[in-house]
Amino acid sequence: MKFGGTSVAEPEDLKRAAARIVAERERGNKVVAVLSARGETTDDLLTMASEISERPSPREMDMLLSTGERISCALCAMAIWDLGHQAISLTGSQAGIVTDSSHTKARIVDVRAGRIEQALEQDNIVLVAGFQGVSTDSKDVTTLGRGGSDTTAVALAAALDAAVCEIYTDVAGVFSADPRIVSEARKLAVVSFEEMLEMAASGARVLQLRSVEYARNHGVRIHCRSSFEQGTGTLVIAEDETMENPFVTAVTHSADEARVTLSGVRNEPGIAGRIFTALADANVNVDVIIQNEPVSTEHGADLSFTVARDDLATAVAAIRAENGADEVLTDEQIGKVSIIGAGMRSHPGVAAKVFRVLGGEGINIEMISTSPIKISCVIAAERVDDAVRALHRAFDLGADAVFEEDSTGEHEARAHPL
Ligand code: ADP
Ligand code: ASP
Ligand code: MG
């Protein structure tokens, strides 16, 4: 059971989470709970660091950030004792979460769950601080990137061969769009790993991307649900377990990206390889990439790509060091809207409809990228909410199950079976 930041924010929230954990134990199950930092704690810690240093040491950053989830776990253990059950809180390191040593975005490389298993045998409820681990190389504390408690939970579920990994959050499950933007968004009863990967990668922060990858690779069943209400949420399962491939499942968005444009990139073999190797070495994830042919032989090419806004400074420094272009321009105000659906693999015309809808709203498309089950458009950040609502409406994603295509092909919305 994993509880996110809002689910443990106030004392009553934390006690509600403790009561849910205890209820599960009383149903006869062994329970390991992963907790996030309370409320805005992680943001507050980031602000605290920025008030002290412009470029804080990544190692010390992780020492700082990892404290938030420890607070939640210790407090929750106290609440569970008060409810008459034994509980023990563990840091990521004590829980055996072993990572590589890339501070602030470490990857889990091993889970040595012996101590948790022993504590469970001794009839404890085990609380594990999310979002952190320890590097065996450096013996230092690491953190797993924003939203990383989801990945802690999935990794523990895999290592312990858990029946299910329940992710408790502040919405009722995975929706057809962010319910904070689209009020008529529909809760999906099931979503395939493939679709959830695309959704997480394109901004649906309800599950961290890495947690979905981990779950798919290790066959972990995720049940994403509300910590405030009872009732089932969304099951994330293998595509062959879903009964059909919906045409379009969800609209996602992101406003946390930035664009880098290199002009005068020398038009010769190997240059793109050098530029993107420099970015990879700096641990920067690149998203949409566009390169234009030079207009004439004396001009270099133009190359644009998007990165997480947090990585912009690192990306620009890496490019400048590589010296691959005449000029490096940046744009911090970009947004991205995407539609995802496993059924679009076999349906032509989805991209055309997306572009028509955005055009109809007067929204300019600046960059486009696609995968077999996703279409993403980079647009102005201030038009993102409009774009999400327009696409959600045009593809009828809020509707109750509509399984027919109309004669114009304009209302081809499909819904997951319940
Ligand atoms: P937690 O603190 O529980 O980890 P997060 O804030 O990381 O919660 O993720 C939950 C939030 O994700 C929701 O409050 C919602 O606004 C946002 N979200 C974005 N897209 C979606 C989506 N498609 N379905 C559900 N939630 C979404
Ligand atoms: N507390 C961390 C964050 O805010 C990790 C998490 O909540 O999953 O990103
Ligand atoms: Mg989260």
Side-chain angles (χ1 to χ4, degrees), residues 2-7 36-37 39 146-147 149-150 167-181 185-186 188 196 199 203-208 224-225 227 250-253:
K2 177 260 174 178
F3 291 85
T6 19
S7 307
S36 287
R146 297 310 303 264
S149 298
D150 297 335
I167 307 277
Y168 288 84
T169 185
D170 55 5
V171 288
V174 179
F175 282 74
S176 55
D178 186 342
R180 289 179 204 285
I181 295 187
R186 195 169 55 89
L188 307 171
M196 197 61 232
M199 288 179 70
R205 73 197 147 95
V206 59
L207 292 175
Q208 195 202 30
C224 177
R225 59 195 303 192
S227 60
V251 182
T252 58
H253 70 282

